[in-house]
Amino acid sequence: MQERYEPAAIEAEAQHYWDQQHSFEAKEDPSRPKYYCLCMFPYPSGRLHMGHVRNYTIGDVLARFMRMNGRNVLQPMGWDAFGLPAENAAMANGVPPAKWTLENIAHMKAQLKSLGYGLDWSRELTTCLPEYYRWNQWLFLRMLEKGIAYLKTGVVNWDPVDKTVLANEQVIDGRGWRTGAMVEKREIPMYYLKITAYAEDLLDALKDMQDWPERVRIMQANWIGRSEGVRLGFPHSVGEGGILHVFTTRADTIMGVTFCAVAAEHPLAIHAAQGNPQLAAFIEECKRGPAVEAELATQEKKGMATGLYVRHPISGEPVPVWVGNYVLMSYGDGAVMGVPAHDERDFEFAKKYRLPIKPVIAVPGRVYSAAAWEPWYSDHGRCVDSGAYDGLEYQAAVDAVARDSSAKGLGEKRTIWRLRDWGISRQRYWGCPIPIIHCKNCGVVPVPDEQLPVVLPVDLVPDGSGNPLLKCAAFLNVKCPKCGADARRETDTMDTFVDSSWYYLRFACADNDHAMLDHRVQYWLPVDQYIGGIEHAILHLLYARFWTRFLKDMGAVSFKEPFARLFTQGMVLNEVFFRKADSGRLQYFNPADVNVTVDKATHRREAMLRSDGKQVESGGVVTMSKSKNNGVDPQVLVDEFGADTARLFMMFAAPPEQTLEWSDEGVQGAFRFIKRLWKAVYEHVSAGPAQRLEKAMLTEAQRALRRHSHQTLAKVADDFGRRRTFNTAIAAVMELLNAVARHPQTGAQDRSIVQEALEIAVMSLSPIIPHAAHALWRELGRRTAMIDETWLQPDEQALQSSTVQMVVQVNGKLRAHITVAVDADEAAIRSTALADANVQKFIGTGAIRKLIVVRGKLLNIVV
RNA sequence: GCGAAUGUGGCGGAAUUGGUAGACGCGCCAGACUUAGGAUCUGGUGGGGCAACCCGUGCGAGUUCGAGUCUCGCCUUUCGCACCA
């Protein structure tokens, strides 16, 4: 065996072996329990970042552990390959997005391989290739047929210079992020997917998803936003039988209504604005709105009276209608009933415009005063000053109001949702073409199935002046499938979230040219363990759940939840260093270029830039990002220390769901530990083969090390399989190795015990450092390759001990450690404890009032 | 504002069911080996006393024989949502 640990050679050898043996190619085998372990597939941005490495290492550790525990494991990988960055790179470099994307994929695939992940590359999929996205188009057509996909005019952010639609994140302070031009709100026709049809089921099913993190379930529930209340009608005289509809969860406050407020876009507002230029101007101002979404919540409430009145649905009294900038057209009916006494926003509004405030809810022990808002004003209570409803509690009052208004045809109970339908049209080139043809004679015509896929041209280079498909005659010009006349293709492409909404299904049958899915989906799905970042807690996971439900309704799959278990790993953080330029702008420096010195006495840290030796400021430890220039390139790490060190560090530095702080010293520590393990095995095998273990003839010290080995084995299996705390599993193996180092090796049986301990250590770490484990397993004389081994089970006999350490407390304070027989009764434990001199000292002359014995752990004497 | 998480040595973190606080690692200190070490090995390392012992898990109360862990009230930091009627 080689004395030195040389990761480059060892890792190449192990990876070559797995390739040769096709170790990770998964085959359907109904006789074995399957385990589908999936990490969120990456966007091919060019290089792997540390977040990827953390994500995929967690997945690989679980996959390898499950495999060795008898599961038929599928761990596939693919590429979320459509999207905006490719277009930006194309503009910057003059290279078509397709070329840029495919080159990135090739590079990142090599990186993934160099990290030793046990991925089944035979199932690799790439969403920007027609073999994949043709099924987006096919399913979209099915959704059209079922009415789940539909065409509607929607409001978008329009950059007038780039002639393109911007995502909300691309609008900065009301201006386009590239051009700096003022963004306009434009109404254009878009395709929507009716996710709201599944809102109730998407929400209700969350209750049963106990293997998803609670916070993801809460975030989804809030996003879906179910709200139960009453839709009330306020009749008015605009138009024939006009009724202003409002939604409220507080129908019990109906008698406190002193005004109604409608959104600027509300038909009643627009009607009132005709012939009222002041109001029209105000509506325009509201429509523009604040640039930043968050300012919506804090901006001053403004309004203007329309001059119109509606009639109260219960009392019939006239109620003035106002336009309010705090009323959202997109929620409910775009109008609210104003109850200033019991709603903070209405209160603010009424105060400002001197509208009456009428309290109608009494809360016991509280006295209402309209002078200032108190948080309890919106609490539930009992109706007062409310005519027939006086004395009723919340639910009774809501029921009564719903009944009375409904009798007049002016009310009904209603559940409404925050969730909106999903607009998927993007006026972008680098995405999946929406399979629609526009014909002068026939209108909007879906592309017939037999003409799929609508292939996206791959040689276009966007120049920033709108969608290049609009200038691509070969793509644009087409014959109408219905009438044969000259027609034009739809140039909008699909939101890239469409691509990721079903890729996990396609991995089961990525090679099928004839169908989107086949019977193999039944075997592999649902995904047993899905692993990814919390940033996808809402959109991606919600869309995927929606698509699976649609496919189930189509009969294509038999389940509705695609991911049985979800794990969201924490972010990778690193310190940021910067200098403030004279202009006030911050210039960030990569931590690799900064030298940090620590004063030993004061713990004061000083950071300076290597290149000029001058000081830089530390901005604390934050998420690694391009903008903060605090990323560490995983490739550098792999080149210098090897994949195993990178993997070990990531798994050891923090529990997987928490944030992980980057530490160069920590990486060194991980490297050092592998070297120690290597050396321990080297020294052991250099002395020749170990003898057979004679379990019956061991000394107490030998039995103790053996017990330690098997306790470690049990703990590691629990940490991997149940707790998912890889950091504590690694710590346990480190402790075992420390015990091995301390163990005096005098006799042949010592070598046998150490052989066993080293085998257990190597196996325990094999999911984390698979390359080193692969080599060490062989060196320890095992003939089966590590990856094909079955996980060792702890020997019950080895775990047993005849004695146990107990702690003795006097009045709850630790005073002694005692060793007693495992089967000692309370009397024996008591007398051993009382015989201890230190225990006697603290009991002193006091009488023993109470004595608590926790078998095998502790004894507390209360004096 | 609402919701969730979080707070433990110089640092990352451990303590799984209310039962030895600080495992394991980093850093630091001392020593060994060495021409040398930023390699390796050994020992030490929460604070105060340097002994017995006392004090210590964000702050304040409480429950308990016993609280990092449970209850109540505050505070910090982070994340998510944010005029949702």
Side-chain angles (χ1 to χ4, degrees), chain A residues 383-643:
Chain A
C383 292
V384 293
D385 212 359
S386 295
Y389 308 117
D390 279 357
L392 293 181
E393 298 272 8
Y394 171 76
Q395 195 55 54
V398 170
D399 290 346
V401 170
R403 186 193 59 221
D404 294 349
S405 57
S406 146
K408 299 181 184 174
L410 295 176
E412 54 177 341
K413 285 202 175 178
R414 245 224 199 162
T415 302
I416 66 168
W417 307 86
R418 207 195 78 110
L419 184 69
R420 301 267 87 90
D421 278 345
W422 173 19
I424 60 159
S425 294
R426 296 289 179 272
Q427 293 67 37
R428 308 235 64 111
Y429 160 48
W430 193 234
C432 169
I434 294 176
I436 291 289
I437 290 166
H438 299 277
C439 170
K440 276 188 225 76
N441 308 323
C442 314
V444 173
V445 182
V447 174
D449 284 0
E450 57 276 11
Q451 288 181 23
L452 294 183
V454 177
V455 177
L456 187 73
V458 292
D459 51 358
L460 306 184
V461 182
D463 57 9
S465 65
N467 187 344
L469 289 175
L470 288 162
K471 296 173 220 158
C472 177
F475 178 81
L476 209 54
N477 299 325
V478 67
K479 299 287 178 203
C480 172
K482 263 192 191 163
C483 70
D486 285 347
R488 190 181 64 81
R489 268 196 203 289
E490 173 64 60
T491 55
D492 282 0
T493 54
M494 296 184 193
D495 182 1
T496 55
F497 275 113
V498 170
D499 308 321
S500 55
S501 290
W502 68 283
Y503 76 106
Y504 47 89
L505 300 169
R506 183 66 181 173
F507 278 129
C509 54
D511 57 359
N512 191 330
D513 292 337
H514 309 292
M516 180 181 182
L517 303 174
D518 64 32
H519 65 281
R520 290 172 289 178
V521 172
Q522 266 323 301
Y523 177 75
W524 290 114
L525 275 287
V527 173
D528 294 272
Q529 179 72 65
Y530 196 33
I531 305 155
I534 188 72
E535 65 273 19
H536 292 113
I538 297 174
L539 294 184
H540 162 58
L541 289 167
L542 198 61
Y543 294 153
R545 296 178 64 217
F546 158 56
W547 270 58
T548 306
R549 279 166 168 75
F550 178 75
L551 285 163
K552 180 169 190 276
D553 287 352
M554 270 182 64
V557 301
S558 62
F559 48 89
K560 65 180 185 183
E561 287 299 339
F563 313 119
R565 231 170 211 285
L566 176 70
F567 192 95
T568 50
Q569 96 265 7
M571 310 252 221
V572 184
L573 316 181
N574 200 2
E575 192 162 9
V576 276
F577 296 101
F578 65 89
R579 279 184 195 149
K580 206 168 194 169
D582 294 336
S583 65
R585 274 192 58 148
L586 299 184
Q587 186 188 4
Y588 292 98
F589 301 99
N590 194 276
D593 304 325
V594 173
N595 234 347
V596 178
T597 51
V598 183
D599 185 293
K600 280 159 200 166
T602 60
H603 299 293
R604 263 186 63 109
R605 302 168 79 252
E606 197 158 294
M608 54 182 60
L609 193 64
R610 269 187 242 277
S611 57
D612 62 12
K614 289 181 190 156
Q615 208 178 329
V616 292
E617 283 184 71
S618 168
V621 178
V622 302
T623 311
M624 280 188 184
S625 70
K626 234 181 208 167
S627 61
K628 295 274 168 66
N629 191 16
N630 66 338
V632 175
D633 187 348
Q635 197 59 50
V636 173
L637 195 58
V638 173
D639 292 345
E640 195 173 346
F641 299 102

Side-chain angles (χ1 to χ4, degrees), chain A residues 691-715 732 735-744 748-761 764 782 792-802:
Chain A
Q691 273 188 16
R692 239 191 103 220
L693 186 64
E694 301 291 343
K695 294 180 193 170
M697 304 178 58
L698 302 177
T699 65
E700 185 45 48
Q702 289 167 341
R703 281 212 302 276
L705 180 56
R706 187 148 196 267
R707 197 181 312 125
H708 193 160
S709 296
H710 286 266
Q711 279 168 349
T712 304
L713 199 50
K715 174 166 176 58
E735 282 183 79
L736 178 61
L737 207 66
N738 289 343
V740 168
R742 278 197 301 271
H743 186 75
Q749 281 302 298
D750 289 312
R751 288 189 29 75
S752 313
I753 297 282
V754 167
Q755 169 83 23
E756 187 188 35
L758 289 172
E759 286 182 8
I760 284 172
S764 296
R782 304 291 299 234
L792 291 167
Q793 297 300 316
D795 179 348
E796 285 303 322
Q797 231 185 323
L799 288 173
Q800 270 157 33
S801 169
S802 55

Side-chain angles (χ1 to χ4, degrees), chain A residues 215-238:
Chain A
R215 70 171 174 147
V216 174
R217 285 184 283 138
I218 290 171
M219 281 163 80
Q220 291 217 348
N222 290 342
W223 188 261
I224 297 167
R226 179 193 177 103
S227 194
E228 283 180 52
V230 181
R231 186 180 190 232
L232 291 165
F234 288 69
H236 58 75
S237 52
V238 177

Side-chain angles (χ1 to χ4, degrees), chain A residues 839-853:
Chain A
V839 172
Q840 275 304 327
K841 184 181 143 195
F842 279 91
I843 293 172
T845 55
I848 296 176
R849 284 228 312 265
K850 204 169 180 181
L851 203 140
I852 293 114
V853 178

